[in-house]
Amino acid sequence: IYANACALCHGKNLEGQVNWRTRLPTGEYPAPPHDQDGHTWHHPDQILFRITKLGGQAEAPAGFKSNMPGFGNVYSDAEILAVLVYIKNRWPEHIRIRQAEINRRNQGR
């Protein structure tokens, strides 16, 4: 699923698009990396799931424009969770531990 739905924008090796921190002329940002160099691991699983299912605008702060489409009409919740597990399993152990702590702090929110 990652190869078919995510790799085109986020990269085959989770590397993201070039200059992902620089706003495009249209106002959006290029797709960020999902590897340890990006900010994906800074978010709890519930946020990552909502972004993937509903699209980036679902969790975007006011004034932020996201190009990330939602995949809830294409993939089941289980398939979306499987993609998130795939991404997380590619992180080094110390990043997985830090992201797990973010999940623990955000339980019940």
Side-chain angles (χ1 to χ4, degrees):
I1 295 171
Y2 182 90
N4 290 330
C6 311
L8 179 64
C9 295
H10 293 283
K12 180 181 173 186
N13 294 307
L14 287 73
E15 71 274 14
Q17 293 178 334
V18 178
N19 298 320
W20 64 275
R21 290 184 172 144
T22 302
R23 193 180 298 264
L24 299 168
T26 57
E28 300 93 350
Y29 286 86
H34 286 318
D35 62 13
Q36 69 182 10
D37 297 328
H39 57 78
T40 304
W41 64 269
H42 295 199
H43 302 291
D45 289 348
Q46 65 188 25
I47 300 293
L48 298 175
F49 178 82
R50 279 181 46 83
I51 290 170
T52 308
K53 182 172 181 161
L54 303 175
Q57 215 55 52
E59 291 290 333
F64 185 89
K65 189 174 177 188
S66 175
N67 276 330
M68 170 74 181
F71 289 94
N73 293 331
V74 179
Y75 296 108
S76 70
D77 288 0
E79 289 170 322
I80 291 170
L81 290 171
V83 168
L84 295 175
V85 168
Y86 170 78
I87 291 168
K88 290 167 64 169
N89 282 333
R90 305 269 314 266
W91 296 337
E93 183 177 6
H94 73 280
I95 296 295
R96 289 194 306 270
I97 290 168
R98 289 176 70 184
Q99 200 265 341
E101 179 55 33
I102 291 167
N103 280 325
R104 279 191 288 281
R105 287 194 311 253
N106 284 280
Q107 285 179 340
R109 288 188 183 184

